[in-house]
Amino acid sequence: MNVADSQRVGSSLEHLGYSFTDKAEEADVIVLNTCVVRQSAEDKALGRLSSLLPLKRQNPSLVINLMGCLVGVRGAEKLRAKLPFVDVFSPPSDPGPLISFLTQGEIRSLEDAETTRRFLMMDEELILPQAEQGKLISAHVPIVYGCSHACTFCIIPYKRGVERSRPVGDIVAEVRSLAKQGVKEITLLGQIVDRYGKDVPDGPNLAGLLRVIHEVEGIERIRFLTSHPNYFSDDLIQTVAELPRVMPHIELPIQAGDDEVLRNMKRGYTQQDYRELVAKIRERIPDCSVATDIIVGFPGETEEQFMQTHRVLSDLKLDVAHLARYSTREGTVATRRMVDNVSEEEKMRRFRMLEDLQEQIIAEINARYLGQTVEVLFEEKVKGRWKGRTPTNKLVFVESEEDLKSKTLPVNITWTGPWSMQANLVKQPVLISV
Ligand code: SF4
């Protein structure tokens, strides 16, 4: 989501005549887009911000914009007092405050300000920053902002506000515009992406939106994340199964494999519900890959409860497990009402156990690809090898002197490991016209 938000800010600034530099000392405007999903991310953002202070002292006209979850949606009064050298505070997904600040002298009326702001934000027609035009193969498109769930460990609803689905027309216009700029793969984003449209009477749901986007010329692959098990409907499974350009890869966090822990997290499903959903997805979408998120060491998690999570992962053999150790976040229900009573050493031990298990699982899953022919969309050359992804989102490297960028080609898998695979291009028959 932050990558997508940053592209919007970059694009808006280019419309104002700015150009991109990756050297902070050269910049007239510095935008620091922040994530606070974990305390370590927040600490890192604040550390980076402090490192900009000497630049501001040297050049008082430098504009520093703090954006994203560190600012949140509830006003930045406390931050303003704490960080007086920051000129502009912007909530997540909103370049508006920065644009208003940079254009303030040039605008005569409130109406002008709103028109300028809308124009510059280019909400319906995202123009990529110049550095990415014609080069970006895969782009992220937010379709639902915020989250109205209240998982007890999570800070996101307090920072990104209530759930708001974007109008279908805006999303489709943006996807069309990205396709014209050379983008081949679109990932639709939402904190709970499968709740898309639930706040809009008469609008399409995610399945309906996928069907519309599937018709956009030039887009070869469509993905979406992150799904919540409670909203992953039969209709959505059927749609993914039917539409060839919607990739068979689902991001479906379980967070824990024990029902009491899941209740304490307020996730709203049981481990059995999750198992049944994965079974249904695999039955209807053959070869679908499923990724999950898991938190270990949630307050009160016993050894037996952790082992339940271990069992679920071991039984389901999912393709990816994003693992995290629980950490307290000020403002969350878990921090206010529960005791963080699993020691850091124990959290680390549980984390490592799942990490080892997952490494074995992925190695086994990936080994099944050996000798198979799969389609890979190539993105870029890294250290002499072309990097791309299979429909199931597996990373593949190919050695080739040809320019493979943005091409989707069949490859033969020659080596597999847990984190990537190697392959050769399948020789295409050459058609000679006589
Ligand atoms: S669904 Fe839960 S974990 Fe995901 S963003 Fe919303 S509150 Fe956070």
Side-chain angles (χ1 to χ4, degrees), residues 147-151 153-157 191-192 228 255 267:
C147 178
S148 296
H149 251 245
C151 302
F153 54 82
C154 186
I155 194 75
I156 299 288
Q191 305 297 340
I192 305 185
H228 188 294
Q255 303 298 8
R267 288 292 292 174

Side-chain angles (χ1 to χ4, degrees), residues 144-149 161-165 192 195-196 198-199:
V144 47
Y145 292 118
C147 178
S148 296
H149 251 245
V162 295
E163 180 176 271
R164 293 100 65 204
S165 298
I192 305 185
R195 277 190 57 86
Y196 175 73
K198 290 200 183 292
D199 55 330

Side-chain angles (χ1 to χ4, degrees), residues 73-319:
V73 288
R74 297 186 180 168
E77 291 325 306
K78 277 192 194 154
L79 278 178
R80 227 178 277 281
K82 209 164 122 190
L83 303 166
F85 62 99
V86 173
D87 300 278
V88 192
F89 294 85
S90 309
S93 311
D94 186 4
L98 177 63
I99 302 307
S100 303
F101 183 88
L102 296 174
T103 54
Q104 59 196 347
E106 301 155 26
I107 289 167
R108 289 176 301 280
S109 68
L110 264 182
E111 204 178 289
D112 271 4
E114 188 51 26
T115 314
T116 309
R117 179 182 143 148
R118 275 167 195 249
F119 169 72
L120 289 167
M121 283 169 67
M122 303 295 280
D123 212 17
E124 295 94 39
E125 276 250 345
L126 173 71
I127 308 296
L128 289 170
Q130 269 172 21
E132 293 181 346
Q133 278 178 29
K135 295 187 189 133
L136 194 73
I137 309 305
S138 178
H140 295 95
V141 174
I143 62 168
V144 47
Y145 292 118
C147 178
S148 296
H149 251 245
C151 302
T152 54
F153 54 82
C154 186
I155 194 75
I156 299 288
Y158 305 96
K159 296 293 183 182
R160 287 190 169 260
V162 295
E163 180 176 271
R164 293 100 65 204
S165 298
R166 284 180 72 193
V168 61
D170 287 7
I171 297 168
V172 175
E174 184 168 318
V175 172
R176 281 206 187 103
S177 167
L178 289 167
K180 277 189 215 141
Q181 295 169 74
V183 168
K184 299 278 190 251
E185 178 180 84
I186 291 289
T187 302
L188 305 176
L189 298 178
Q191 305 297 340
I192 305 185
V193 73
D194 43 348
R195 277 190 57 86
Y196 175 73
K198 290 200 183 292
D199 55 330
V200 184
D202 309 325
N205 57 15
L206 178 59
L209 180 67
L210 287 171
R211 288 184 187 280
V212 178
I213 291 178
H214 196 260
E215 299 310 310
V216 175
E217 209 176 310
I219 297 298
E220 294 176 11
R221 291 183 167 190
I222 306 164
R223 302 182 187 275
F224 57 92
L225 60 92
T226 301
S227 299
H228 188 294
N230 284 7
Y231 306 101
F232 213 95
S233 64
D234 287 358
D235 180 26
L236 182 55
I237 297 176
Q238 192 54 34
T239 304
V240 177
E242 266 174 35
L243 300 181
R245 282 184 229 143
V246 177
M247 295 295 104
H249 174 76
I250 311 290
E251 297 269 346
L252 197 66
I254 184 172
Q255 303 298 8
D258 177 82
D259 289 346
E260 193 182 336
V261 176
L262 285 170
R263 260 197 310 280
N264 291 340
M265 289 177 163
K266 286 229 169 9
R267 288 292 292 174
Y269 51 83
T270 64
Q271 56 94 18
Q272 187 57 27
D273 295 335
Y274 188 89
R275 285 174 185 265
E276 286 169 15
L277 178 57
V278 171
K280 200 167 14 169
I281 290 171
R282 285 177 167 164
E283 185 197 322
R284 303 204 191 151
I285 314 170
D287 301 324
C288 186
S289 64
V290 179
T292 199
D293 293 7
I294 294 175
I295 299 172
V296 296
F298 187 75
E301 184 189 67
T302 63
E303 176 65 10
E304 176 48 26
Q305 288 172 331
F306 163 69
M307 287 311 292
Q308 288 275 54
T309 303
H310 193 276
R311 258 189 292 282
V312 172
L313 192 59
S314 166
D315 292 348
L316 290 181
K317 298 196 188 317
L318 303 174
D319 294 75

